[in-house]
Amino acid sequence: GAFGGPVDVMAQDPCPSASAVDAEAGWTAYSDGRMDEARTRFQSALQRCDNDHYARTGLGYVFLREGDTQEGARLFQVVVRAEPGNVDALVGLGLVSWRSGELDAVRRHFETVLQYVPDHPTALDYLERLAGAAPRAQDEADRAWSSGDTERARQLYDGRLAADPDDGIALLRRGLMHGWDAEYDRALELLERLMANDAGNLDARLARARVLAWSGRLGDATAAAKEVIGMEPGNPDALAAMALFHSWAGRADEALESYDELLSIAPDHSTARRERAQALAWAEQYQQSIGVYEALVEQRPDDVDSRLGLARARGFSGDFEGALEEYDRVLEMAPGDVRARSGRARTLGWSGRLVQAERSAQE
């Protein structure tokens, strides 16, 4: 698989012996899916020996597994600068490039891997995938996508698909855009074509799961997310999607169980804590929800989404004054925020101040 244990480790000086036990234990925990233990062991190894690139590479894989591609890439780059032939770090950079759609970089990294290990299974797998992925690293369509110009990206990806109906990146991104536009049948058609060409493409499978959920087929969406987890146990994006689908379907206990599993694997996941707090509010566990939101706001006072969640949870719990205070704080930071204005008006109505509610809604 793409996330196996080390294949090749370069000799390291001057202090490998000081950290060897922790580094080996970290890789064992990683292989067993125990991400918290793996992270702790790799960090301990690096504290003992900052030159332990075996541990640094392992920590990079932990971050990659948890969805923090940027930090994983940084660690792999440090290793490759010090050891240009470190196969495991080169594989990591190849995987990072694949996730970001930089297909020329994917080819470069995995071809380098094959110079050192000619039969490396991950390198061979991804180079084979490239054969059907129409390699165009960061062309105009990709730049439009990366910059958020979705209208331009739509046009350019349509042009790419007209020239090559099996362009993997175009199929994935155009499928998602059709989903955003509520063109669900077309979205599923493109994503399923990509899956037929590349059965192991987890991004395509997760995109399909999301489109199914957006179309209201929450049972099918949950089953699709479970398939991804079956292919890559502990996949944080799949766990987050499944938890969200459970929430949308009103399955509060299942949602909370999925969020707890996700946070045990990826405690720093960017959205899981906030979404778990929302699920707690939907489950009418208001005080727990408020506690989570308060912790998030304490960590990042400018986090508008968490403040809005806190305001809603306080309003649901009957603490109307507390909710209004939070809405007012959001409006101080973002005066035009429609969610805060409508939430404030709704809360005023719940508290019986109907004239103020009407005025607030009209502001």
Side-chain angles (χ1 to χ4, degrees):
F3 296 105
V7 173
D8 181 55
V9 182
M10 308 298 287
Q12 300 172 48
D13 288 314
C15 57
S17 60
S19 55
V21 172
D22 277 325
E24 289 292 350
W27 275 109
T28 299
Y30 177 87
S31 297
D32 292 342
R34 304 191 307 275
M35 293 300 112
D36 284 346
E37 182 181 344
R39 183 191 305 103
T40 300
R41 288 288 199 160
F42 288 137
Q43 288 173 339
S44 177
L46 288 167
Q47 287 172 358
R48 293 175 181 274
C49 174
D50 186 59
N51 192 45
D52 191 333
H53 295 309
Y54 185 37
R56 181 169 280 108
T57 301
L59 187 59
Y61 276 100
V62 170
F63 279 112
L64 198 59
R65 179 78 166 265
E66 294 178 345
D68 191 342
T69 305
Q70 183 175 359
E71 183 61 16
R74 186 188 70 78
L75 292 168
F76 297 139
Q77 287 162 356
V78 170
V79 174
V80 169
R81 280 196 296 269
E83 298 176 353
N86 189 303
V87 167
D88 298 305
L90 287 167
V91 169
L93 288 174
L95 296 171
V96 166
S97 301
W98 179 266
R99 287 192 180 185
S100 61
E102 298 172 1
L103 302 186
D104 283 349
V106 174
R107 175 175 286 100
R108 184 174 68 253
H109 291 308
F110 285 126
E111 286 180 347
T112 303
V113 169
L114 293 181
Q115 292 175 16
Y116 294 97
V117 185
D119 60 349
H120 193 289
T122 302
L124 292 171
D125 176 29
Y126 277 84
L127 288 172
E128 184 178 345
R129 294 186 191 193
L130 280 179
R136 303 175 174 88
Q138 286 294 303
D139 78 349
E140 191 177 353
D142 299 328
R143 287 193 293 273
W145 170 273
S146 298
S147 69
D149 186 355
T150 53
E151 186 55 41
R152 179 68 173 152
R154 282 187 183 92
Q155 297 171 0
L156 293 169
Y157 282 130
D158 281 343
R160 276 175 47 169
L161 287 171
D164 178 4
D166 292 326
D167 180 330
I169 297 297
L171 284 170
L172 175 63
R173 293 175 177 172
R174 199 63 185 93
L176 282 168
M177 286 187 279
H178 279 298
W180 298 340
D181 295 336
E183 298 167 352
Y184 303 124
D185 290 343
R186 179 59 174 158
L188 292 171
E189 178 189 340
L190 295 183
L191 294 169
E192 286 166 4
R193 184 194 307 168
L194 175 53
M195 289 167 56
N197 294 339
D198 182 4
N201 190 317
L202 300 188
D203 290 334
R205 289 180 176 276
L206 270 175
R208 178 177 177 272
R210 292 187 175 103
V211 171
L212 287 168
W214 298 338
S215 70
R217 296 166 59 182
L218 291 170
D220 291 337
T222 303
K226 285 181 179 177
E227 285 181 6
V228 174
I229 294 169
M231 297 172 70
E232 185 181 298
N235 181 293
D237 293 331
L239 284 170
M242 190 161 67
L244 193 60
F245 302 160
H246 283 315
S247 293
W248 290 350
R251 298 188 292 267
D253 290 343
E254 291 91 337
L256 292 170
E257 182 179 334
S258 294
Y259 281 124
D260 289 342
E261 182 180 356
L262 170 58
L263 287 166
S264 72
I265 295 169
D268 299 322
H269 191 278
S270 58
T271 62
R273 291 188 183 280
R274 188 169 64 236
E275 290 172 356
R276 181 177 180 274
Q278 179 176 271
L280 284 165
W282 288 346
E284 301 183 8
Q285 298 180 37
Y286 300 126
Q287 294 310 311
Q288 288 178 263
S289 175
I290 288 168
V292 176
Y293 278 127
E294 286 178 336
L296 289 168
V297 167
E298 185 176 353
Q299 291 171 358
R300 283 188 52 202
D302 61 344
D303 183 348
V304 168
D305 288 330
S306 291
R307 284 199 179 278
L308 285 169
L310 177 56
R312 285 191 290 267
R314 283 182 169 162
F316 294 156
S317 74
D319 178 10
F320 302 132
E321 293 305 319
L324 292 170
E325 287 176 10
E326 289 303 328
Y327 283 126
D328 287 341
R329 289 191 182 102
V330 171
L331 289 169
E332 287 174 8
M333 294 187 288
D337 194 297
V338 175
R339 298 167 299 173
R341 290 191 177 281
S342 61
R344 187 176 186 278
R346 185 170 56 248
T347 304
L348 285 166
W350 290 345
S351 66
R353 287 172 274 184
L354 300 180
V355 174
Q356 286 179 266
E358 185 176 357
R359 287 175 182 167
S360 183
Q362 293 172 350
E363 287 179 359

